[in-house]
Amino acid sequence: MRFSLITKLAFVISLILLTCMASYAYINIQTLKQLMLEEAIADADKLSETIISTTHYQMLENDLQRVFMMISEAGTQKGVERIRMISKDGKIVFSTKKDEIGTLIDKKAAACNMCHTGSEPLLHTSSMNRSRIFTTANGTEVLGMAKGIYNEPNCSAAECHFHPASVRILGVLDVIVSLDAMNAQLNEYRNKTIVHTVLLLGLLAITLTFFLMNLVTVPVRQLLARTRMIAEGDLESSVAVQSGDELGELAQSFNSMTDNLRQARGELEEWGRHLESKVEERTRELKQMQAQLIRSEKLASQGELVAGIAHEINNPLTGILVYSSLLASDPKLDPDLMPDMETIVRETERCASIVKGLLDFSRETPPQKTPILLEQVMEEALNLVVHQSLFHDITVVKQYTPGLPEMMADHNQIEQVFINLLLNAGQAMTGDGTLTITTGLVPGGASVYAAIRDTGCGISEEHLGKIFDPFFTTKDQKGTGLGLSVSFGIIANHGGRIGVESTVGQGTTFTIILPLMGENEEHEGVGGD
Ligand SMILES: Nc1ncnc2c1ncn2[C@@H]1O[C@H](COP(=O)(O)OP(=O)(O)O)[C@@H](O)[C@H]1O
Ligand SMILES: [Mg+2]
């Protein structure tokens, strides 16, 4: 079983209050009882005093009948249980209760033992000491008050009289009053006190609970709810600071703790994101560099082979071309054979162009670097291709970055690369689409880039790894598969890079990055940030 803080607090406070109030009420009642008792004793004392003084004359006269009458009258007063007169030797001379007249009282009985501790009575005991409280046979609580009737000079001197002067006490007047009225009053007071105490306690408990709820429970609950939210990972909301006390302070430091946590988490997340993108970027760069290296090696070994073959084929091919051209122009040639002859010449010319491409590819002529402007070279390449019928329905969008610095490169070779890429783009779009050319400075400032984007057929994943290989083509009879491999060689010789991104059915973007100073960019770390 779990009790809330407030329940415990309210319980403890109520318990303390209950104890305090009950003790206070008990002391109160006891004091009141004492006071009322004293008053009752004084009343009884006064009554017996009055009886003795009013019967004084009749006593002297020895008119006992009148004395008894007067006592009987006094006995009818409200609250008086009985009044009796007891003689010196313990005989009840008169009583308002007729049946005990003439009986003897034991000196050790309750009515006498206040004065008669020994054989002789204590004459000077106070009215307080001469009183006694006891319960009668019918169950009422009563107060008894015994008063001595003294032998006065008038008494012993009276001629009629028989009291010798040596006797001090002639008898005792015993007044017994009921304490019922007093007890009833006390009971009523006690009941009232209990009711008031209970009401007061209830009121106190309600007020206490209300204030404790507002001052403690509500802010503590809020804090508790927030702690749970934090445990579940929510660091956004905060606790309202309502008071300037310790709880308010706690809420404030709780809020600042949440703020710090949030900040720390944000930093961690940011750091994680940054790290992830950095790793991704580096991995991509590494992959590109690796692919480039493999390609370079492949090209170098293929280059030698290709150069040898091309050189060997070039001479006989020239012979075939010369002789077939001569034959085709010979008037003695049968006109029926003319179309075949023309096919031979055309195909031989195609062979010659392939061989020329091969020689270009393998020649490895070192670039003749001069200061050039990338944008200018691109414009020249564009001028050479856009007039071809292939480009008639193609929209060319130029996004040149103005004011690019001059760069060191071989004008002709770079132009050839651009022509290759532009032609490939045109062919991919089959005469209809948008060609976007972008230039700019690579962040870091040591390299420039040119991107050629087309909206053509795109390159499949499978082909993407092969397009830079010599003789790889998807264009059947029309392609040599040398354009990209030659371009790759040229850019590599300039210390640059060539990259491709493509989505089948949407288009392709070729990006060329060239170092401004014409040096190998790997050493300068161009392309990174
Ligand atoms: N812009 C492009 N869009 C689609 N495919 C391309 C593009 N550029 C190159 N290719 C693909 O790369 C292959 C090789 O190109 P290339 O080396 O220029 O040889 P060729 O143009 O003679 O086929 C092409 O056959 C083509 O499949
Ligand atoms: Mg091509």
Side-chain angles (χ1 to χ4, degrees):
M1 187 107 164
R2 188 175 158 273
F3 292 105
S4 74
L5 189 68
I6 291 304
T7 316
K8 286 183 203 165
L9 256 175
F11 182 73
V12 170
I13 294 175
S14 301
L15 208 68
I16 294 170
L17 275 173
L18 185 71
T19 318
C20 289
M21 286 173 88
S23 316
Y24 180 68
Y26 178 77
I27 293 167
N28 241 355
I29 292 170
Q30 284 313 110
T31 314
L32 188 71
K33 190 175 178 179
Q34 190 63 34
L35 279 174
M36 286 175 94
L37 210 59
E38 274 171 26
E39 205 180 290
I41 290 167
D43 281 351
D45 193 42
K46 215 183 277 167
L47 181 64
S48 41
E49 199 73 59
T50 314
I51 291 171
I52 290 171
S53 60
T54 47
T55 55
H56 185 71
Y57 180 73
Q58 276 75 24
M59 293 272 209
L60 285 180
E61 289 282 299
N62 207 17
D63 186 356
L64 284 178
Q65 278 313 306
R66 275 199 71 92
V67 170
F68 295 157
M69 234 173 72
M70 285 171 85
I71 290 174
S72 289
E73 218 161 282
T76 58
Q77 273 182 44
K78 193 169 168 262
V80 177
E81 180 77 12
R82 82 180 101 144
I83 304 173
R84 54 188 183 179
M85 206 174 216
I86 302 156
S87 71
K88 193 167 95 62
D89 41 13
K91 191 178 163 201
I92 298 174
V93 185
F94 178 77
S95 172
T96 49
K97 274 232 166 77
K98 300 282 183 278
D99 50 352
E100 61 174 4
I101 298 175
T103 54
L104 270 173
I105 282 185
D106 179 9
K107 276 191 184 164
K108 288 188 179 63
C112 312
N113 63 1
M114 293 150 320
C115 303
H116 293 273
T117 43
S119 52
E120 278 304 299
L122 304 160
L123 293 180
H124 302 293
T125 45
S126 68
S127 61
M128 196 66 192
N129 288 342
R130 279 182 283 113
S131 64
R132 67 198 187 279
I133 292 166
F134 61 96
T135 314
T136 60
N138 54 25
T140 32
E141 202 185 11
V142 291
L143 169 79
M145 182 76 205
K147 194 146 180 91
I149 305 166
Y150 298 98
N151 191 8
E152 290 172 27
N154 286 349
C155 268
S156 53
E159 314 133 31
C160 64
H161 238 276
F162 51 86
H163 292 307
S166 59
V167 177
R168 283 283 289 127
I169 296 269
L170 300 178
V172 168
L173 185 73
D174 192 23
V175 175
I176 296 167
V177 291
S178 166
L179 290 178
D180 273 359
M182 186 194 88
N183 282 336
Q185 256 182 316
L186 269 174
N187 277 348
E188 198 190 325
Y189 179 76
R190 194 193 56 211
N191 290 346
K192 267 188 194 165
T193 310
I194 288 172
V195 170
H196 289 164
T197 309
V198 168
L199 280 179
L200 221 65
L201 260 178
L203 198 72
L204 256 169
I206 291 169
T207 339
L208 213 72
T209 312
F210 176 77
F211 279 109
L212 282 177
M213 281 284 253
N214 277 298
L215 294 175
V216 183
T217 311
V218 172
V220 166
R221 287 241 168 94
Q222 277 183 350
L223 272 175
L224 212 64
R226 283 290 302 125
T227 324
R228 287 208 189 101
M229 279 162 86
I230 286 177
E232 282 161 16
D234 173 16
L235 296 176
E236 293 315 314
S237 52
S238 59
V239 193
V241 182
Q242 276 151 341
S243 55
D245 55 18
E246 285 88 340
L247 276 174
E249 229 171 277
L250 185 66
Q252 217 156 23
S253 57
F254 190 83
N255 281 344
S256 61
M257 182 194 81
T258 318
D259 281 348
N260 288 345
L261 267 176
R262 187 172 48 228
Q263 215 173 326
R265 188 173 73 175
E267 275 167 19
L268 264 177
E269 277 173 358
E270 184 56 43
W271 198 65
R273 263 198 299 275
H274 188 67
L275 199 72
E276 216 168 282
S277 68
K278 261 265 187 271
V279 167
E280 262 171 32
E281 199 180 304
R282 287 278 175 226
T283 314
R284 207 172 46 237
E285 273 177 21
L286 268 175
K287 268 189 187 157
Q288 274 181 5
M289 272 158 79
Q290 196 185 20
Q292 187 126 357
L293 207 70
I294 292 170
R295 265 182 229 130
S296 300
E297 278 173 9
K298 209 151 101 185
L299 280 183
S301 61
Q302 283 169 343
E304 281 173 39
L305 184 71
V306 167
I309 295 168
H311 194 74
E312 288 300 315
I313 289 176
N314 207 26
N315 288 342
L317 204 62
T318 317
I320 294 170
L321 201 61
V322 168
Y323 284 105
S324 55
S325 301
L326 279 173
L327 262 177
S329 55
D330 193 338
K332 285 183 277 176
L333 187 73
D334 183 350
D336 289 345
L337 294 175
M338 204 53 185
D340 294 344
M341 214 49 233
E342 276 168 2
T343 308
I344 292 172
V345 172
R346 199 175 58 241
E347 291 299 307
T348 314
E349 274 171 353
R350 207 170 95 78
C351 279
S353 90
I354 292 173
V355 169
K356 186 183 171 296
L358 281 175
L359 285 173
D360 277 347
F361 162 70
S362 60
R363 196 152 39 222
E364 286 264 337
T365 38
Q368 305 294 313
K369 289 179 186 173
T370 52
I372 59 158
L373 280 168
L374 196 69
E375 193 183 308
Q376 200 184 322
V377 181
M378 181 63 86
E379 278 296 304
E380 285 170 16
L382 261 176
N383 276 336
L384 287 176
V385 298
V386 285
H387 299 300
Q388 298 181 14
S389 60
L390 183 67
F391 281 82
H392 275 174
D393 295 320
I394 289 172
T395 318
V396 180
V397 179
K398 297 171 190 173
Q399 295 173 338
Y400 298 146
T401 301
L404 282 183
E406 278 188 337
M407 56 181 292
M408 294 301 288
D410 186 314
H411 186 288
N412 288 337
Q413 286 187 359
I414 300 296
E415 190 179 330
Q416 196 193 334
V417 171
F418 287 161
I419 291 170
N420 284 341
L421 297 180
L422 291 170
L423 283 176
N424 278 350
Q427 283 157 0
M429 290 188 279
T430 51
D432 183 16
T434 308
L435 183 77
T436 313
I437 300 161
T438 317
T439 62
L441 205 62
V442 174
S447 302
V448 282
Y449 72 86
I452 296 167
R453 184 163 82 242
D454 65 60
T455 54
C457 58
I459 307 166
S460 70
E461 193 77 32
E462 178 198 355
H463 288 165
L464 211 54
K466 299 178 191 162
I467 55 170
F468 291 102
D469 292 351
F471 308 116
F472 174 80
T473 179
T474 53
K475 294 170 188 164
D476 298 334
Q477 293 300 306
K478 289 184 194 122
T480 59
L482 286 171
L484 284 181
S485 53
V486 168
S487 302
F488 185 90
I490 291 170
I491 298 300
N493 277 338
H494 277 79
R497 277 195 285 147
I498 179 165
V500 58
E501 271 171 47
S502 185
T503 310
V504 175
Q506 286 186 14
T508 310
T509 307
F510 277 92
T511 309
I512 287 163
I513 296 172
L514 283 166
L516 281 176
M517 296 316 294
E519 257 132 48
N520 200 323
E521 70 159 316
E522 257 87 322
H523 299 303
E524 298 176 16
V526 172
D529 55 358

